[in-house]
Amino acid sequence: AGCMRLTDAGMAALGDVESLESLNLAECDLVSEEGVEELGRLTNLRRLNLRHVCVTETGVRALRRLSALASLELIGNMDLSESGLEAAVSQFPKMRSVSL
């Protein structure tokens, strides 16, 4: 059923938790691309699940500061273009696993 109450405002607060290493946002229907962009501040993040969260190429580019990211799940993101998928794979130097 996913997270029913997390919104973009909550994502802004979550962006302040700089020590966070793993985050599962699967099926967070109230989180928009604006909320996803807040995750760019989580520079220690190593695992991120954005399954069925509305993410486009712009959102993926906003995550480029996540230099420690090794695992990214983007299954069910119908708004993500082919170039966005390529960006998801290529912009993270430590990436080991991408689920599309």
Side-chain angles (χ1 to χ4, degrees), residues 26-93:
E27 300 179 26
C28 289
D29 297 335
L30 299 178
V31 175
S32 73
E33 185 136 301
E34 183 179 308
V36 171
E37 290 175 8
E38 294 289 343
L39 298 177
R41 299 184 295 153
L42 299 174
T43 55
N44 289 316
L45 205 60
R46 297 182 337 153
R47 289 177 298 282
L48 179 58
N49 184 340
L50 294 174
R51 184 172 40 97
H52 295 286
V53 175
C54 293
V55 180
T56 66
E57 187 174 345
T58 302
V60 171
R61 273 189 302 223
L63 299 176
R64 70 182 171 271
R65 291 179 281 170
L66 304 180
S67 59
L69 198 63
S71 175
L72 178 62
E73 186 167 332
L74 293 168
I75 293 170
N77 286 291
M78 300 304 189
D79 294 330
L80 194 55
S81 67
E82 187 171 329
S83 61
L85 294 174
E86 289 174 13
V89 174
S90 66
Q91 73 182 6
F92 303 106

